[in-house]
Amino acid sequence: MTGRLNRAQPYAVGLFRIVVGLLFACHGAASIFGVLGGAMGGGTIPAGTWPGWYAGVIQLVGGTLVLLGLGTRAAAFISSGSMAYAYFDVHQSQALWPIQNSGELSVVFCWSMFLLVFTGSGALGADRYLGGRTSPAAEDKSSSEQTPVAA
């Protein structure tokens, strides 16, 4: 059972990356373009407004890059930092716990992106194909020292 799960790990990471990137990009699109319900219940954030508009740009661009698996580690690092800033600047001053200050989404995005900094794009990402690797199996054969993460 563990062997099968270990072999499936790159695909699970890839699917996780795709979902997190898509959701993050949707938040940016809502803030900048007013789609999907818009920012904060409707509308857009005016261009150049600090920090909301810049956060929206990071969400849209960073989320799209993470979704595609292109420059995943760098995009996830910047995205994680923006969510940490959002939590501590916007939410944490209202109350200590995320459940009390409506900061759960910022915390979850922050830590999800931070995880992707360390795991990389997983399977199905553009990073893998641009780096000359065609499949997780080919990567395993080329690097015998790589071991899967086990709990």
Side-chain angles (χ1 to χ4, degrees):
M1 176 79 167
T2 301
R4 286 184 186 172
L5 292 173
N6 288 342
R7 283 190 299 276
Q9 184 175 352
Y11 298 100
V13 169
L15 290 173
F16 176 79
R17 172 189 51 78
I18 290 168
V19 170
V20 169
L22 176 64
L23 293 174
F24 203 62
C26 285
H27 276 272
S31 297
I32 295 173
F33 302 119
V35 297
L36 305 170
M40 298 177 280
T44 62
I45 297 175
T49 304
W50 178 259
W53 186 81
Y54 294 96
V57 171
I58 290 172
Q59 290 167 1
L60 181 61
V61 174
T64 302
L65 290 172
V66 167
L67 169 67
L68 297 173
L70 185 61
T72 302
R73 292 177 192 257
F77 183 75
I78 292 167
S79 298
S80 176
S82 76
M83 288 295 96
Y85 178 83
Y87 179 76
F88 287 111
D89 186 58
V90 176
H91 298 285
Q92 204 276 325
S93 62
Q94 298 171 14
L96 177 63
W97 295 102
I99 193 75
Q100 294 173 316
N101 62 29
S102 301
E104 302 100 332
L105 198 55
S106 294
V107 171
V108 170
F109 273 131
C110 176
W111 286 102
S112 296
M113 292 294 188
F114 194 63
L115 177 64
L116 290 171
V117 171
F118 292 93
T119 62
S121 63
L124 312 171
D127 288 344
R128 181 174 299 279
Y129 297 106
L130 294 176
R133 293 176 267 160
T134 56
S135 71
E139 181 179 307
D140 290 341
K141 290 177 185 175
S142 68
S143 175
S144 61
E145 61 196 50
Q146 180 185 16
T147 57
V149 177

